[in-house]
Amino acid sequence: MGENRWHALAEEVSAWPRGQRSILVTNFLRDLIVSGDIPPGERINERTLTERLGISRTPLREAFKILEGEGLVSIRPNAGATVVQLSARDVEDALEILIGLESIGAQRAVERATSSMIEEISELDARMVEAFGRRALMDYFNLNQLIHQKIINAAQNDALSRVYASESARIRRFRFVGNRDHARWAQAVSEHAQILDALRRREGPLLRELLRAHHRAGWKVARKALPAPDNPT
């Protein structure tokens, strides 16, 4: 990451209230892990981060705990935080769970979503398309993930939302990889337009199948960038 970005981030962190700095640090580290800037298996250097961001170890370690809860890092005594390694099989298993959860959530969402929920998802989709136009991949991806979670939330089942959020967080990095292929990225935008249309028209079976196909198409592209199933990624 360039020096200007480090400087800008350090200034942003210093402007936040002390009690909220861990949120900004968490978001920053999550983006680095998801984008692959901190690769799987790599130990996150606490000293470098505290010095460059001008923070104490407290917000950094709070961020580590949040990311550990999301399944992105592992924390070991006297070893600090290390980015978690997952095999392709691990990702496929988690994706199968996500597809199943969205299959359940799709029908519930079209039955239970309020007009304001659908409008919020529509607004997020518009922002996502705008990010695609700017080629702002991380902005696009974060909005993309939020849209999927909001669709699940529209089912108004807290247990479903909680499990979906947990499994989705664990494989964020692998879902991100698929969007690095520009043809796939453009196709994903088109698929999201169809998903939104099915939700607006409250067509549960169609929404379920569109979500299923969307996930499988993304994983097909992402899988090509990963090693053989038995190797750590």
Side-chain angles (χ1 to χ4, degrees), residues 195-222:
I195 289 168
L196 177 58
D197 185 58
L199 177 62
R200 283 172 171 161
R201 291 189 283 116
R202 298 183 183 270
E203 296 187 7
L206 177 60
L207 177 60
R208 181 185 66 236
E209 293 309 312
L210 288 171
L211 288 167
R212 183 193 301 272
H214 178 66
H215 278 303
R216 294 202 181 281
W219 175 238
K220 183 178 180 180
V221 174

Short mmCIF file of all heavy atoms in Angstrom, two decimals, residues 195-222:
data_model
loop_
_atom_site.label_atom_id
_atom_site.label_comp_id
_atom_site.label_asym_id
_atom_site.label_seq_id
_atom_site.Cartn_x
_atom_site.Cartn_y
_atom_site.Cartn_z
N ILE A 195 -31.76 -10.43 -10.03
CA ILE A 195 -32.09 -10.79 -8.65
C ILE A 195 -32.99 -9.73 -8.03
O ILE A 195 -34.01 -10.04 -7.40
CB ILE A 195 -30.79 -10.97 -7.83
CG1 ILE A 195 -30.08 -12.25 -8.26
CG2 ILE A 195 -31.10 -10.99 -6.32
CD1 ILE A 195 -28.66 -12.38 -7.72
N LEU A 196 -32.63 -8.47 -8.23
CA LEU A 196 -33.43 -7.38 -7.68
C LEU A 196 -34.83 -7.37 -8.29
O LEU A 196 -35.83 -7.16 -7.59
CB LEU A 196 -32.72 -6.05 -7.93
CG LEU A 196 -33.46 -4.78 -7.46
CD1 LEU A 196 -33.76 -4.84 -5.97
CD2 LEU A 196 -32.63 -3.54 -7.80
N ASP A 197 -34.90 -7.61 -9.59
CA ASP A 197 -36.20 -7.61 -10.26
C ASP A 197 -37.10 -8.72 -9.72
O ASP A 197 -38.30 -8.51 -9.50
CB ASP A 197 -36.00 -7.78 -11.77
CG ASP A 197 -37.30 -7.67 -12.54
OD1 ASP A 197 -37.97 -6.62 -12.44
OD2 ASP A 197 -37.66 -8.63 -13.23
N ALA A 198 -36.53 -9.90 -9.49
CA ALA A 198 -37.31 -11.02 -8.94
C ALA A 198 -37.79 -10.70 -7.53
O ALA A 198 -38.91 -11.05 -7.15
CB ALA A 198 -36.47 -12.29 -8.95
N LEU A 199 -36.95 -10.03 -6.75
CA LEU A 199 -37.35 -9.65 -5.40
C LEU A 199 -38.48 -8.63 -5.44
O LEU A 199 -39.47 -8.75 -4.70
CB LEU A 199 -36.15 -9.08 -4.64
CG LEU A 199 -36.41 -8.57 -3.22
CD1 LEU A 199 -36.90 -9.70 -2.30
CD2 LEU A 199 -35.15 -7.92 -2.63
N ARG A 200 -38.35 -7.64 -6.31
CA ARG A 200 -39.40 -6.62 -6.43
C ARG A 200 -40.73 -7.24 -6.83
O ARG A 200 -41.79 -6.83 -6.35
CB ARG A 200 -38.98 -5.58 -7.46
CG ARG A 200 -37.94 -4.57 -6.97
CD ARG A 200 -37.47 -3.73 -8.14
NE ARG A 200 -36.63 -2.61 -7.71
CZ ARG A 200 -35.81 -1.96 -8.53
NH1 ARG A 200 -35.73 -2.31 -9.82
NH2 ARG A 200 -35.09 -0.95 -8.08
N ARG A 201 -40.67 -8.22 -7.73
CA ARG A 201 -41.90 -8.87 -8.20
C ARG A 201 -42.34 -10.01 -7.27
O ARG A 201 -43.34 -10.66 -7.53
CB ARG A 201 -41.70 -9.37 -9.64
CG ARG A 201 -41.58 -8.23 -10.64
CD ARG A 201 -41.61 -8.70 -12.08
NE ARG A 201 -40.34 -9.28 -12.50
CZ ARG A 201 -40.14 -10.54 -12.85
NH1 ARG A 201 -41.16 -11.39 -12.80
NH2 ARG A 201 -38.98 -10.98 -13.23
N ARG A 202 -41.54 -10.23 -6.24
CA ARG A 202 -41.84 -11.24 -5.19
C ARG A 202 -42.06 -12.62 -5.80
O ARG A 202 -43.01 -13.32 -5.49
CB ARG A 202 -43.05 -10.78 -4.36
CG ARG A 202 -42.78 -9.47 -3.61
CD ARG A 202 -43.94 -9.08 -2.73
NE ARG A 202 -43.70 -7.79 -2.08
CZ ARG A 202 -43.10 -7.63 -0.89
NH1 ARG A 202 -42.69 -8.69 -0.23
NH2 ARG A 202 -42.93 -6.41 -0.38
N GLU A 203 -41.11 -13.00 -6.66
CA GLU A 203 -41.13 -14.32 -7.28
C GLU A 203 -40.10 -15.20 -6.59
O GLU A 203 -38.93 -15.25 -6.97
CB GLU A 203 -40.86 -14.21 -8.78
CG GLU A 203 -41.93 -13.44 -9.53
CD GLU A 203 -41.75 -13.49 -11.04
OE1 GLU A 203 -40.86 -14.24 -11.50
OE2 GLU A 203 -42.48 -12.78 -11.75
N GLY A 204 -40.54 -15.91 -5.55
CA GLY A 204 -39.65 -16.70 -4.72
C GLY A 204 -38.85 -17.76 -5.45
O GLY A 204 -37.61 -17.81 -5.33
N PRO A 205 -39.49 -18.67 -6.19
CA PRO A 205 -38.74 -19.72 -6.89
C PRO A 205 -37.70 -19.15 -7.86
O PRO A 205 -36.58 -19.67 -7.95
CB PRO A 205 -39.83 -20.50 -7.63
CG PRO A 205 -41.05 -20.28 -6.80
CD PRO A 205 -40.94 -18.86 -6.31
N LEU A 206 -38.05 -18.09 -8.58
CA LEU A 206 -37.11 -17.49 -9.51
C LEU A 206 -35.94 -16.85 -8.76
O LEU A 206 -34.78 -17.01 -9.15
CB LEU A 206 -37.81 -16.42 -10.37
CG LEU A 206 -36.90 -15.64 -11.34
CD1 LEU A 206 -36.23 -16.59 -12.32
CD2 LEU A 206 -37.71 -14.57 -12.07
N LEU A 207 -36.24 -16.16 -7.67
CA LEU A 207 -35.18 -15.54 -6.88
C LEU A 207 -34.23 -16.60 -6.35
O LEU A 207 -33.00 -16.42 -6.39
CB LEU A 207 -35.80 -14.75 -5.71
CG LEU A 207 -34.82 -14.08 -4.74
CD1 LEU A 207 -33.93 -13.08 -5.47
CD2 LEU A 207 -35.57 -13.41 -3.60
N ARG A 208 -34.77 -17.70 -5.88
CA ARG A 208 -33.93 -18.79 -5.36
C ARG A 208 -32.99 -19.32 -6.43
O ARG A 208 -31.78 -19.47 -6.19
CB ARG A 208 -34.82 -19.92 -4.86
CG ARG A 208 -34.04 -21.10 -4.27
CD ARG A 208 -34.95 -22.24 -3.91
NE ARG A 208 -35.56 -22.83 -5.11
CZ ARG A 208 -36.87 -22.96 -5.30
NH1 ARG A 208 -37.73 -22.54 -4.38
NH2 ARG A 208 -37.34 -23.50 -6.41
N GLU A 209 -33.48 -19.55 -7.63
CA GLU A 209 -32.65 -20.10 -8.69
C GLU A 209 -31.63 -19.09 -9.20
O GLU A 209 -30.51 -19.47 -9.55
CB GLU A 209 -33.53 -20.60 -9.84
CG GLU A 209 -34.38 -21.81 -9.47
CD GLU A 209 -33.55 -22.93 -8.85
OE1 GLU A 209 -32.49 -23.27 -9.42
OE2 GLU A 209 -33.97 -23.47 -7.82
N LEU A 210 -32.00 -17.83 -9.23
CA LEU A 210 -31.05 -16.79 -9.66
C LEU A 210 -29.90 -16.67 -8.67
O LEU A 210 -28.74 -16.53 -9.07
CB LEU A 210 -31.77 -15.44 -9.79
CG LEU A 210 -32.71 -15.30 -10.99
CD1 LEU A 210 -33.52 -14.01 -10.87
CD2 LEU A 210 -31.93 -15.31 -12.31
N LEU A 211 -30.20 -16.73 -7.39
CA LEU A 211 -29.16 -16.65 -6.37
C LEU A 211 -28.24 -17.86 -6.44
O LEU A 211 -27.01 -17.74 -6.33
CB LEU A 211 -29.79 -16.55 -4.97
CG LEU A 211 -30.44 -15.22 -4.63
CD1 LEU A 211 -31.29 -15.34 -3.37
CD2 LEU A 211 -29.39 -14.12 -4.45
N ARG A 212 -28.82 -19.04 -6.64
CA ARG A 212 -28.03 -20.27 -6.76
C ARG A 212 -27.07 -20.18 -7.95
O ARG A 212 -25.87 -20.45 -7.82
CB ARG A 212 -28.96 -21.47 -6.92
CG ARG A 212 -28.23 -22.81 -6.97
CD ARG A 212 -29.19 -23.91 -7.44
NE ARG A 212 -30.33 -24.02 -6.55
CZ ARG A 212 -30.35 -24.78 -5.46
NH1 ARG A 212 -29.28 -25.48 -5.13
NH2 ARG A 212 -31.44 -24.83 -4.72
N ALA A 213 -27.59 -19.78 -9.10
CA ALA A 213 -26.76 -19.68 -10.30
C ALA A 213 -25.68 -18.61 -10.15
O ALA A 213 -24.55 -18.78 -10.62
CB ALA A 213 -27.65 -19.38 -11.52
N HIS A 214 -26.03 -17.53 -9.49
CA HIS A 214 -25.09 -16.42 -9.26
C HIS A 214 -23.89 -16.89 -8.45
O HIS A 214 -22.74 -16.61 -8.80
CB HIS A 214 -25.84 -15.31 -8.52
CG HIS A 214 -25.02 -14.13 -8.16
ND1 HIS A 214 -24.47 -13.27 -9.10
CD2 HIS A 214 -24.64 -13.64 -6.94
CE1 HIS A 214 -23.80 -12.30 -8.49
NE2 HIS A 214 -23.88 -12.51 -7.18
N HIS A 215 -24.13 -17.63 -7.38
CA HIS A 215 -23.04 -18.13 -6.55
C HIS A 215 -22.18 -19.12 -7.32
O HIS A 215 -20.94 -19.06 -7.26
CB HIS A 215 -23.61 -18.82 -5.30
CG HIS A 215 -23.97 -17.88 -4.21
ND1 HIS A 215 -23.07 -17.00 -3.65
CD2 HIS A 215 -25.13 -17.68 -3.55
CE1 HIS A 215 -23.66 -16.30 -2.70
NE2 HIS A 215 -24.91 -16.69 -2.62
N ARG A 216 -22.81 -20.03 -8.01
CA ARG A 216 -22.05 -21.06 -8.70
C ARG A 216 -21.21 -20.48 -9.84
O ARG A 216 -20.08 -20.93 -10.07
CB ARG A 216 -22.99 -22.15 -9.23
CG ARG A 216 -23.67 -22.93 -8.10
CD ARG A 216 -24.17 -24.28 -8.57
NE ARG A 216 -24.82 -25.01 -7.50
CZ ARG A 216 -24.19 -25.66 -6.53
NH1 ARG A 216 -22.86 -25.64 -6.50
NH2 ARG A 216 -24.86 -26.31 -5.59
N ALA A 217 -21.72 -19.48 -10.52
CA ALA A 217 -20.95 -18.85 -11.60
C ALA A 217 -19.73 -18.12 -11.04
O ALA A 217 -18.63 -18.18 -11.61
CB ALA A 217 -21.83 -17.87 -12.37
N GLY A 218 -19.91 -17.45 -9.91
CA GLY A 218 -18.80 -16.75 -9.28
C GLY A 218 -17.73 -17.71 -8.79
O GLY A 218 -16.52 -17.47 -8.97
N TRP A 219 -18.15 -18.82 -8.18
CA TRP A 219 -17.18 -19.79 -7.67
C TRP A 219 -16.44 -20.49 -8.80
O TRP A 219 -15.25 -20.80 -8.69
CB TRP A 219 -17.88 -20.80 -6.78
CG TRP A 219 -16.98 -21.91 -6.31
CD1 TRP A 219 -17.15 -23.24 -6.49
CD2 TRP A 219 -15.77 -21.78 -5.56
NE1 TRP A 219 -16.13 -23.95 -5.92
CE2 TRP A 219 -15.26 -23.08 -5.34
CE3 TRP A 219 -15.05 -20.69 -5.07
CZ2 TRP A 219 -14.07 -23.32 -4.65
CZ3 TRP A 219 -13.87 -20.92 -4.37
CH2 TRP A 219 -13.39 -22.22 -4.17
N LYS A 220 -17.10 -20.71 -9.92
CA LYS A 220 -16.46 -21.36 -11.06
C LYS A 220 -15.25 -20.56 -11.53
O LYS A 220 -14.20 -21.12 -11.85
CB LYS A 220 -17.46 -21.51 -12.21
CG LYS A 220 -16.90 -22.23 -13.42
CD LYS A 220 -17.96 -22.39 -14.50
CE LYS A 220 -17.39 -23.13 -15.71
NZ LYS A 220 -18.43 -23.29 -16.78
N VAL A 221 -15.39 -19.23 -11.52
CA VAL A 221 -14.27 -18.36 -11.93
C VAL A 221 -13.22 -18.29 -10.83
O VAL A 221 -12.02 -18.41 -11.08
CB VAL A 221 -14.78 -16.95 -12.26
CG1 VAL A 221 -13.61 -16.00 -12.53
CG2 VAL A 221 -15.70 -17.00 -13.49
N ALA A 222 -13.68 -18.12 -9.58
CA ALA A 222 -12.74 -17.99 -8.46
C ALA A 222 -11.93 -19.27 -8.28
O ALA A 222 -10.74 -19.23 -7.95
CB ALA A 222 -13.49 -17.65 -7.17
#
